[in-house]
Amino acid sequence: EDQVTQSPEALRLQEGESSSLNCSYTVSGLRGLFWYRQDPGKGPEFLFTLYSAGEEKEKERLKATLTKKESFLHITAPKPEDSATYLCAFTPPGGGNKLTFGTGTQLKVEL
Amino acid sequence: NAGVTQTPKFQVLKTGQSMTLQCAQDMNHEYMSWYRQDPGMGLRLIHYSVGAGITDQGEVPNGYNVSRSTTEDFPLRLLLAAPSQTSVYFCASRDRDDSPLHFGNGTRLTVT
């Protein structure tokens, strides 16, 4: 069964302390790997799509990378406003509407 | 720029009652879907639609019905509410099957 696992479940950082979140997947030939940010009481907000191994995308302090087995979300010099739950998801081979989500990493950035 | 709009934001039901969660999108997306989010379980797909008049089951469809009479609207019906349906429900849409989903802000449902 196609699966996605995110780690760590929770992460506490000091402001300016860079780190990475991991998303491991078992599906082969995925048609897209997505990163979302979710704030409390809100729906997930799209951040990045990665389609092939070696691809990288950047936005402000965030950079997403993709290998054949996992994706990383690198957070450089985080600020308190980066605190949120970060979700990854993938579209399996054959596509369709069945996006499979991980359970997320809850990030808290403290002053 | 409304995107995906869900109503209501909060709802409390008694066991056995029925209700409809509303979802509308103004992006002319063909794909729409309903997810539920529970602590420690991640987002799980309930039902989805690839266009008006076409719906299909997701991972956890039991106890829920959907219909898609227009491109814009995709309501989710709970027929006989049960405490196990206490959850946060998200509607989402996308314009093709490898593009990102756009989510609404959810409906928090409590069944007592």
Side-chain angles (χ1 to χ4, degrees):
Chain A
E1 183 182 335
D2 298 333
Q3 283 192 338
V4 58
T5 304
Q6 291 190 247
S7 62
E9 286 185 15
L11 182 62
R12 225 177 179 106
L13 298 174
Q14 296 295 310
E15 185 176 13
E17 180 187 1
S18 301
S19 188
S20 297
L21 314 183
N22 178 262
C23 171
S24 299
Y25 58 91
T26 58
V27 65
S28 57
L30 63 84
R31 292 195 62 201
L33 187 292
F34 305 92
W35 282 98
Y36 287 84
R37 170 195 171 121
Q38 187 174 22
D39 293 296
K42 301 282 189 182
E45 176 189 346
F46 169 69
L47 292 173
F48 303 110
T49 308
L50 301 164
Y51 290 105
S52 56
E55 191 174 358
E56 298 183 353
K57 295 269 179 78
E58 278 188 77
K59 180 180 176 180
E60 296 180 0
R61 295 176 292 283
L62 301 177
K63 182 166 103 173
T65 62
L66 182 66
T67 73
K68 287 187 178 177
K69 292 186 177 180
E70 56 194 352
S71 178
F72 291 94
L73 185 66
H74 307 278
I75 305 176
T76 302
K79 298 182 177 182
E81 54 261 42
D82 294 322
S83 298
T85 296
Y86 292 86
L87 304 170
C88 74
F90 67 85
T91 298
N97 212 19
K98 296 181 182 180
L99 207 60
T100 300
F101 281 85
T103 54
T105 293
Q106 193 170 357
L107 173 66
K108 185 165 175 61
V109 183
E110 298 170 331
L111 289 168
Chain B
N1 192 12
V4 178
T5 303
Q6 291 185 240
T7 55
K9 286 185 167 40
F10 300 95
Q11 183 71 48
V12 179
L13 289 178
K14 292 189 190 311
T15 297
Q17 288 184 320
S18 63
M19 78 159 295
T20 299
L21 280 61
Q22 302 291 344
C23 175
Q25 53 95 5
D26 62 359
M27 297 172 282
N28 203 33
H29 288 169
E30 291 295 328
Y31 293 89
M32 294 187 75
S33 52
W34 278 99
Y35 285 82
R36 60 178 287 172
Q37 187 173 41
D38 302 291
M41 303 284 291
L43 284 153
R44 292 182 292 167
L45 182 64
I46 304 171
H47 285 286
Y48 65 97
S49 168
V50 298
I54 307 169
T55 64
D56 206 347
Q57 297 181 350
E59 183 185 352
V60 287
N62 292 343
Y64 307 95
N65 270 2
V66 292
S67 60
R68 183 102 179 267
S69 55
T70 67
T71 299
E72 295 78 23
D73 300 299
F74 191 43
L76 178 73
R77 280 181 288 278
L78 279 70
L79 305 173
L80 289 170
S84 60
Q85 293 178 305
T86 293
S87 187
V88 182
Y89 292 85
F90 289 101
C91 179
S93 70
R94 67 201 299 196
D95 61 0
R96 59 180 195 276
D97 68 1
D98 61 350
S99 63
L101 282 171
H102 298 265
F103 285 85
N105 278 326
T107 294
R108 184 174 293 274
L109 176 68
T110 302
V111 183
T112 61

